[in-house]
Amino acid sequence: MRCPSRYAFLTSTKTTSEPGPFFASQTVQSPTHSRLALLVARASALAASRGAPRIGIVYPCDVLALDAAVRIEEAGLARPVLIGPREQIARAADAAGINVRRFETVDCGESAALAASRATSLARDGEVQVLMKGSLHTDELMSAIVHKVTGLRGPTRISHAFVFDLPRYHKLLALTDCVVNITPLLPAKRDILTNAVALLHKLGIERPKVAIIAAVETVSQAIPATLDAQALVALARQGEWPGVIVEGPFGFDNAISAEAALIKGMDSPVAGDPDLLVVPDLNAGNMLYKSFNYIGGGDCAGLVLGATVPIVLTSRADSLQSRIASVALAVLACVRAD
């Protein structure tokens, strides 16, 4: 079913028993994922009250990237800055019927690598507060971002998190890391969890519930992910993440379903109510992320974390709502002061 207007999802209705953060339980009334719509509305309101950040769209040389710039501006989320070859951008804009003169453009030659390098420079200098992937390859952008000398590395390892609106789950659910870290060892998982918890705090979740998931819910020497889960839980109990409830290992079933956990004799405040799932590796996370979207009927916002600015990675297969919600997530991450 087509939306009745271009931005119908920005005004989707919701019901809730009392006001609260957008992770609070709400009744989804449309296939446009009203919890993500609320995230976009809150980010737009924040940008209006505190000033919209500048978002550098890196190498926006196709219709999708330029259309994203238009929609971001019209949603009131951020002020797009186009970073790439001026002539290619102009040709793509002409083909799409977009007046590119409405945006600031930073011309930096024909190479996507040059655009990525210039974008990281602008971010380091504070000229842009968010970066967004345009029509270049993800590895071209990320190689500039993770460069040890000229990149945007922060104090923790760079990672990625999705925030899902799932029709059969009672609140938004975060998932990490499905994109950046392939087979993270324990120190990397510590940073991945740290980055994701910081994002949840930015979103107003004061006491996030975190489930470390694996194939089974028992610790086994034969399954390293369960040993990592045990170690992360121990770190949490030692005060690594104050106010955060971290438990595991969980099987996916007993992390999501309190009934499944009860049947297996698990007594946990996280079971059936996590705000964040930490997956063992990229293979598991990527398959779960795609299952949520393609079978579970979900949609999501995604963000690269751990860099000095939030970074939006987009895919050609992403829905319009996912693209806009990802920018909203970045705005909330970089503008909120609490």
Side-chain angles (χ1 to χ4, degrees):
M1 182 177 68
R2 294 181 61 86
C3 294
S5 68
R6 192 178 187 185
Y7 298 105
F9 69 84
L10 296 179
T11 56
S12 297
T13 58
K14 66 181 181 67
T15 60
T16 183
S17 57
E18 57 183 4
F22 46 74
F23 268 63
S25 177
Q26 297 159 20
T27 300
V28 180
Q29 295 185 342
S30 80
T32 53
H33 304 96
S34 65
R35 297 186 190 101
L36 287 184
L38 181 56
L39 185 151
V40 173
R42 292 204 173 191
S44 294
L46 188 65
S49 65
R50 298 193 185 179
R54 287 159 57 87
I55 180 169
I57 304 180
V58 187
Y59 206 73
C61 298
D62 65 7
V63 173
L64 281 176
L66 292 171
D67 184 61
V70 172
R71 294 171 186 272
I72 289 163
E73 183 185 63
E74 291 182 356
L77 288 169
R79 292 172 292 159
V81 178
L82 310 183
I83 305 169
R86 188 183 300 274
E87 290 186 5
Q88 286 190 44
I89 292 170
R91 287 196 296 270
D94 287 343
I98 293 171
N99 179 10
V100 77
R101 290 187 296 274
R102 66 195 287 178
F103 303 119
E104 177 183 347
T105 300
V106 177
D107 188 12
C108 51
E110 297 296 311
S111 166
L114 285 176
S117 177
R118 186 62 186 278
T120 57
S121 176
L122 290 170
R124 284 197 313 274
D125 294 340
E127 296 296 319
V128 295
Q129 291 75 50
V130 179
L131 291 180
M132 182 176 186
K133 174 179 170 287
S135 57
L136 76 174
H137 293 295
T138 296
D139 59 352
E140 291 176 307
L141 177 58
M142 291 305 298
S143 63
I145 288 166
V146 303
H147 193 282
K148 291 183 178 180
V149 178
T150 60
L152 301 174
R153 290 171 178 257
T156 57
R157 184 181 183 90
I158 289 175
S159 62
H160 186 279
F162 284 113
V163 176
F164 283 88
D165 187 346
L166 300 168
R168 295 185 62 187
Y169 195 66
H170 57 282
K171 57 182 176 180
L172 289 175
L173 178 64
L175 183 65
T176 191
D177 177 352
C178 311
V179 174
V180 173
N181 292 280
I182 300 173
T183 53
L185 301 177
L186 180 59
K189 289 182 179 179
R190 181 179 183 173
D191 283 351
I192 289 167
L193 179 49
T194 297
N195 292 342
V197 163
L199 177 63
L200 295 182
H201 284 155
K202 289 277 190 176
L203 298 180
I205 310 305
E206 296 180 1
R207 292 181 58 83
K209 295 179 180 180
V210 179
I212 314 298
I213 60 174
V216 295
E217 63 276 359
T218 54
V219 176
S220 170
Q221 294 291 329
I223 305 179
T226 66
L227 302 175
D228 289 346
Q230 183 182 49
L232 291 170
V233 171
L235 285 171
R237 291 175 179 170
Q238 294 163 14
E240 180 73 16
W241 302 283
V244 180
I245 303 172
V246 180
E247 295 195 354
F250 284 98
F252 178 76
D253 55 347
N254 44 60
I256 291 297
S257 167
E259 181 181 3
L262 185 62
I263 291 170
K264 293 188 176 183
M266 300 177 66
D267 182 14
S268 167
V270 175
D273 194 38
D275 299 292
L276 170 66
L277 302 179
V278 179
V279 298
D281 56 34
L282 185 142
N283 270 321
N286 194 269
M287 286 185 279
L288 184 55
Y289 140 63
K290 290 172 180 173
S291 297
F292 278 173
N293 280 350
Y294 287 94
I295 296 177
D299 207 354
C300 61
L303 205 59
V304 173
L305 308 171
T308 55
V309 300
I311 300 152
V312 178
L313 294 182
T314 56
S315 166
R316 297 182 69 86
D318 288 342
S319 70
L320 167 61
Q321 185 171 31
S322 178
R323 291 169 182 270
I324 297 299
S326 295
V327 175
L329 194 63
V331 170
L332 291 164
C334 75
V335 176
R336 286 184 68 95
D338 52 326

